[in-house]
Amino acid sequence: VTNSLQTIHPELAKLLHVEKNGKKTAHDIVATTAKTIHWLCACSKPYERTIHHMLGRGVGCVACRKAESLAKKQKDKDELAIT
């Protein structure tokens, strides 16, 4: 498939949850699908999200994305305090 997730977004294809997507691989999933896909976070937690959401809002489970957001807010706050 020329418009597969593997072909169009190989960086996302690496995050695909092998077991939870049944027999579908990154080569089988169309990159423009609106269906929810199962992913595996760097922290090893599985999560579900559409490809569009992954591209627009970033990758990672809710806990990791929240921690990243809080860390960024704290960094911004610290930088403001310095200036």
Side-chain angles (χ1 to χ4, degrees), residues 18 27 36 66:
V18 179
H27 292 286
T36 300
K66 185 174 182 177

Side-chain angles (χ1 to χ4, degrees), residues 6-73:
Q6 181 64 49
T7 304
I8 306 296
H9 302 293
E11 70 284 358
L12 290 183
K14 294 175 187 175
L15 303 175
L16 201 65
H17 196 295
V18 179
E19 298 168 4
K20 291 201 173 213
N21 286 302
K23 294 181 180 181
K24 292 191 176 193
T25 68
H27 292 286
D28 301 321
I29 298 172
V30 177
T32 56
T33 186
K35 292 181 180 179
T36 300
I37 307 292
H38 295 273
W39 309 93
L40 188 61
C41 186
C43 74
S44 299
K45 290 180 188 171
Y47 62 102
E48 296 178 39
R49 199 169 289 147
T50 63
I51 294 170
H52 179 76
H53 191 248
M54 294 282 281
L55 293 170
R57 296 189 182 173
V59 300
C61 68
V62 174
C64 288
R65 289 188 56 217
K66 185 174 182 177
E68 183 179 305
S69 176
L70 290 173
K72 184 183 181 318
K73 285 179 185 177

